[in-house]
Structures are given as C-alpha cells and as structure tokens.
Amino acid sequence: MFIIVLRAVLVLVLLAAVYVGLAAFMRWQRQRTLEAEYAAGVEPALTREDYIAKGLAAYERSPERKALYAVFIVPLIVGAILGALSALT
C-alpha cells in the first residue's frame, strides 16, 4: 500500500513540475509576442509596459491558459482507466 501512495505522490509531483514549466514557457512566449507586437506599432497610445501588462492579464484569463490543466487531468484519467482495466483481468 505504501508503494502505491509513494508512486501516486511521485506522479503528482512530476505533473506539477511539467505544469509549472509549461506555464512559465507559455507566459514567456506570450510576453515575447506582445513585445514584438508593440515594436511593430500596434498600439502607440499605451506605454510598452502597460501594453504587455494588459496583454498578459488577458492571457491569464484565456482558454489557452486554462488548457494547461489538461497536464493534470488527462494522465489521471488515463491512469484511472488503465487501473480499472487491469483490475478486471
């Protein structure tokens, strides 16, 4: 029983590390895109920092950002299905 709990904790820690890494990378990518857009002269009414802050705030509420939760959900569902199937045999 201890091994099962230990493996579950290990999987959750690994998934959390993947999530944090992907979230940081995707935020960095979005910031680079916003910087490039501002340099191209998209919205001259805002300062560079305000434009990037506004864009990152919109990104935090975007479906793209929420899709990162699939890093946790999909492996857990697959594991549950495989566990249920192995219990049947």
Side-chain angles (χ1 to χ4, degrees), residues 4-87:
I4 293 172
V5 172
L6 184 63
R7 285 183 181 176
V9 169
L10 180 62
V11 166
L12 289 175
V13 168
L14 289 174
L15 290 176
V18 169
Y19 174 82
V20 168
L22 278 174
F25 176 74
M26 290 178 68
R27 184 176 171 84
W28 175 76
Q29 282 290 106
R30 183 65 184 146
Q31 184 173 354
R32 298 275 309 244
T33 302
L34 290 166
E35 289 171 354
E37 287 174 2
Y38 187 81
V42 172
E43 190 158 342
L46 294 174
T47 65
R48 179 178 179 271
E49 291 78 21
D50 289 340
Y51 181 76
I52 292 171
K54 183 179 172 185
L56 288 176
Y59 167 72
E60 292 297 326
R61 296 183 307 270
S62 71
E64 179 183 359
R65 174 80 164 129
K66 291 179 177 78
L68 277 175
Y69 292 121
V71 168
F72 284 108
I73 296 168
V74 172
L76 293 177
I77 290 173
V78 169
I81 290 171
L82 290 176
L85 289 176
S86 69

